[in-house]
C-alpha cells in the first residue's frame, strides 16, 4: 500500500545484547515502517559480499556482489551485483561512462516499476521510482552524517512510498556506491584501463 512516509533516522549499532553472526550497519524505527535493520551478511565465499534490509513493514531486500574486487572491501560493490526483493529479482543496468551524476545512475526494474539511483556526493544519494499512468512516483533521499558511534542516516520521502521503495533505498546504505560519484567513476575508469593494459602485456 502507498503510504506517506515521515522522515526518520537509522543509527549505527551502539552495542549491547549479543548479536547474531551478521554485522549490523544501521538500525532504527520509522512510524510507518516499524523497526528497520541494515546488516552485512556473513560471506559464503571470499569473493562474495552481501547486505540485507529487514523490517516490520518492509520486505527483505538483499544486495550481493561477486568478484575479485570485493576481496578488498567490506561492503558489496556495484560491480557484479545481484538484487532481490524477497524471492523476486530486480533487474540492474548502469552506464559506467556517464558524464554526470544522473548519467552514471543505476537503473532498476522491479514488479513493473522503474527506479533510478544516483549519488549527490559520497555521503548522500537519491532513489526515485518513476511516475507512470497509475502513480506519481516517489523520491527517497538518504544522507549519512556524524562520526564513530554518532553516525546516522537521515531518510526522507517525497510522494507516497511502498515498503519495497524504502527497503530498496536503504539497502544501498550498506553498499559501496563510490562509482556513482565523479571521483569514484574516474578512479574506476583508470583501474579498468590499467587491468586491460596489464592483460594485454601478459597475453
Amino acid at each position: 500500500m502507498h503510504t506517506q512516509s515521515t522522515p526518520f533516522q537509522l543509527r549505527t549499532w551502539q552495542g549491547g545484547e549479543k548479536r547474531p553472526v551478521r554485522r549490523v550497519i544501521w538500525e532504527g524505527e520509522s512510524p510507518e515502517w516499524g523497526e528497520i535493520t541494515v546488516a552485512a551478511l556473513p560471506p559464503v565465499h571470499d569473493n562474495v559480499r552481501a547486505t540485507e534490509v529487514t523490517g516490520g513493514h518492509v520486505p527483505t531486500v538483499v544486495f550481493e556482489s561477486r568478484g575479485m574486487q570485493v576481496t578488498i572491501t567490506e561492503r558489496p560493490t556495484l560491480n557484479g551485483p545481484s538484487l532481490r526483493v524477497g524471492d523476486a529479482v530486480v533487474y540492474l543496468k548502469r552506464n559506467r561512462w556517464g558524464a554526470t551524476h544522473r548519467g552514471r545512475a543505476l537503473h532498476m526494474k522491479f514488479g513493473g516499476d522503474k527506479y533510478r539511483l544516483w549519488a549527490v556526493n559520497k555521503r548522500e544519494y537519491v532513489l526515485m521510482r518513476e511516475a507512470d499512468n497509475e502513480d506519481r512516483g516517489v523520491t527517497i533521499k538518504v544522507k549519512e552524517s556524524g562520526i564513530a558511534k554518532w553516525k546516522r542516516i537521515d531518510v526522507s520521502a517525497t510522494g507516497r512510498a511502498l515498503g519495497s521503495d524504502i527497503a530498496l533505498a536503504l539497502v544501498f546504505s550498506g553498499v559501496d556506491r563510490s562509482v556513482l560519484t565523479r571521483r569514484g567513476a574516474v578512479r574506476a575508469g583508470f583501474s579498468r584501463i590499467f587491468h586491460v593494459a596489464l592483460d594485454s602485456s601478459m597475453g
Side-chain angles (χ1 to χ4, degrees), residues 21-184:
V21 177
R22 69 178 192 162
R23 181 174 60 82
V24 173
I25 302 172
W26 307 106
E27 62 182 358
E29 187 170 356
S30 157
E32 292 78 23
W33 311 108
E35 293 185 2
I36 299 175
T37 301
V38 182
L41 299 180
V44 293
H45 298 291
D46 288 342
N47 66 339
V48 178
R49 298 288 184 273
T51 295
E52 177 187 64
V53 174
T54 55
H57 303 294
V58 300
T60 298
V61 169
V62 177
F63 184 100
E64 179 182 276
S65 63
R66 296 169 177 263
M68 291 301 296
Q69 76 279 354
V70 301
T71 59
I72 58 173
T73 66
E74 293 186 358
R75 298 184 177 188
T77 72
L78 294 180
N79 296 317
S82 65
L83 179 58
R84 300 189 311 276
V85 177
D87 294 326
V89 173
V90 179
Y91 296 93
L92 306 171
K93 184 174 67 173
R94 178 170 63 88
N95 177 14
R96 296 183 177 184
W97 306 104
T100 65
H101 284 79
R102 295 202 182 200
R104 290 185 293 273
L106 178 67
H107 293 258
M108 296 174 275
K109 189 172 183 180
F110 165 68
D113 290 319
K114 295 180 179 179
Y115 294 83
R116 281 188 295 156
L117 177 95
W118 67 89
V120 176
N121 52 52
K122 68 178 183 178
R123 305 192 81 180
E124 184 177 359
Y125 63 92
V126 177
L127 176 77
M128 183 180 73
R129 173 166 48 80
E130 298 180 6
D132 56 28
N133 294 332
E134 299 178 356
D135 186 77
R136 295 181 179 180
V138 66
T139 299
I140 301 171
K141 297 181 180 180
V142 181
K143 183 176 182 179
E144 181 180 331
S145 60
I147 58 173
K149 65 179 182 179
W150 295 281
K151 289 176 67 175
R152 69 175 190 269
I153 54 174
D154 292 279
V155 186
S156 61
T158 302
R160 297 173 65 82
L162 298 166
S164 53
D165 300 334
I166 299 297
L168 280 170
L170 288 177
V171 77
F172 290 97
S173 67
V175 171
D176 182 348
R177 307 176 306 275
S178 59
V179 293
L180 297 180
T181 65
R182 181 177 290 106
R183 180 176 296 181

